[in-house]
Amino acid sequence: MNENKCVFVYGPQGSGKSRHGEALRKHFGLPRIVDGWSPTDELPRTGALVLTNVDLSRAPECHLWRRAYSIKQALELLDTKPQQAPRTKPQTDR
């Protein structure tokens, strides 16, 4: 688990950040979600998935933004997770 890092996911209101928050939290291996973060809020002291409406791609350079994804990028990461091969029934000779 990545308890000491924060991952930021940003996008406009209604873009699906909260709806997909739990799946994203699990994907990044984080213990909790902070929803509705803004730059005037304190950053979490321990690892969290931080959801925000602030477009961090336009924010001043900060080492924290290296772990920032637009909601579109984050959802693409979910889609690229290795999927389990479908189970098939063993063939039997008759």
Side-chain angles (χ1 to χ4, degrees):
M1 193 173 286
N2 299 307
E3 294 183 10
N4 293 323
K5 75 173 187 175
C6 289
V7 174
F8 294 82
V9 174
Y10 61 91
Q13 185 174 352
S15 62
K17 298 179 304 292
S18 297
R19 181 175 0 138
H20 298 287
E22 185 61 21
L24 291 167
R25 182 195 67 77
K26 288 178 183 177
H27 175 80
F28 290 113
L30 298 166
R32 66 191 184 114
I33 298 171
V34 175
D35 199 353
W37 179 84
S38 75
T40 59
D41 297 338
E42 188 174 325
L43 286 170
R45 294 187 186 270
T46 60
L49 174 66
V50 181
L51 306 177
T52 182
N53 294 341
V54 177
D55 185 349
L56 298 178
S57 69
R58 298 173 186 241
E61 186 63 33
C62 175
H63 73 282
L64 294 172
W65 306 158
R66 286 181 294 188
R67 295 184 304 262
Y69 302 90
S70 70
I71 184 62
K72 181 180 177 186
Q73 292 168 324
L75 292 176
E76 287 172 358
L77 289 173
L78 285 181
D79 287 342
T80 60
K81 272 196 331 189
Q83 295 184 358
Q84 239 179 348
R87 295 179 185 227
T88 58
K89 292 183 181 179
Q91 295 285 331
T92 58
D93 294 327
R94 291 189 181 191

